[in-house]
Amino acid sequence: MEHADDRGAKKELRKEPPSGWLYLTQHDAIPILVDALLDLPPNREFNKTELAEHTGVTRQTVGNYTDLLLEVELIEEVPDTSPRRYRVADSDVVRELFKLNSALNSVGE
């Protein structure tokens, strides 16, 4: 039988280095933010306040994770905007998330 210490050690090993999935989802607010991004119409621009309102989290929470969302290519900056505006990125990550979300939504239909 596996001991709790072994499980804990294995769990910690999975975090070093974390997979892309763990890297993205290690923060509590990220699944909510990603879900909200997947719900936006294509090419819809938004600022941090608008994304916070759409998501139901605080603007501070959006601000805390904006760099991460940019880094993993979930959002992109809209050039030449002030205050800074963003949109869902046109990236492989976003396309695959839409596929995953669609597949998960269709389970059991």
Side-chain angles (χ1 to χ4, degrees):
M1 179 176 271
E2 189 174 6
H3 292 83
D5 289 343
D6 292 339
R7 286 192 307 269
K10 287 179 182 177
K11 181 178 175 183
E12 290 306 310
L13 284 173
R14 294 198 65 76
K15 295 178 183 178
E16 294 300 325
S19 67
W21 179 254
L22 283 178
Y23 181 71
L24 178 63
T25 60
Q26 68 185 329
H27 308 283
D28 291 341
I30 290 295
I32 297 295
L33 291 168
V34 170
D35 188 66
L37 291 170
L38 293 174
D39 189 42
L40 289 174
N43 299 314
R44 164 82 192 293
E45 294 182 12
F46 52 87
N47 62 29
K48 291 176 185 178
T49 300
E50 292 165 339
L51 182 57
E53 289 171 359
H54 177 67
T55 306
V57 301
T58 65
R59 186 186 183 289
Q60 180 179 353
T61 297
V62 171
N64 289 343
Y65 297 112
T66 300
D67 288 342
L68 175 62
L69 296 172
L70 288 164
E71 177 187 347
V72 299
E73 299 180 355
L74 286 173
I75 63 173
E76 59 191 16
E77 293 181 350
V78 176
D80 304 320
T81 56
S82 181
R84 176 64 57 207
R85 295 189 65 78
Y86 306 89
R87 64 181 160 235
V88 175
D90 181 15
S91 70
D92 288 341
V93 172
V94 170
R95 283 187 285 282
E96 293 302 322
L97 278 172
F98 272 109
K99 283 186 198 176
L100 175 60
N101 193 44
S102 178
L104 289 169
N105 286 335
S106 67
V107 169
E109 289 183 351

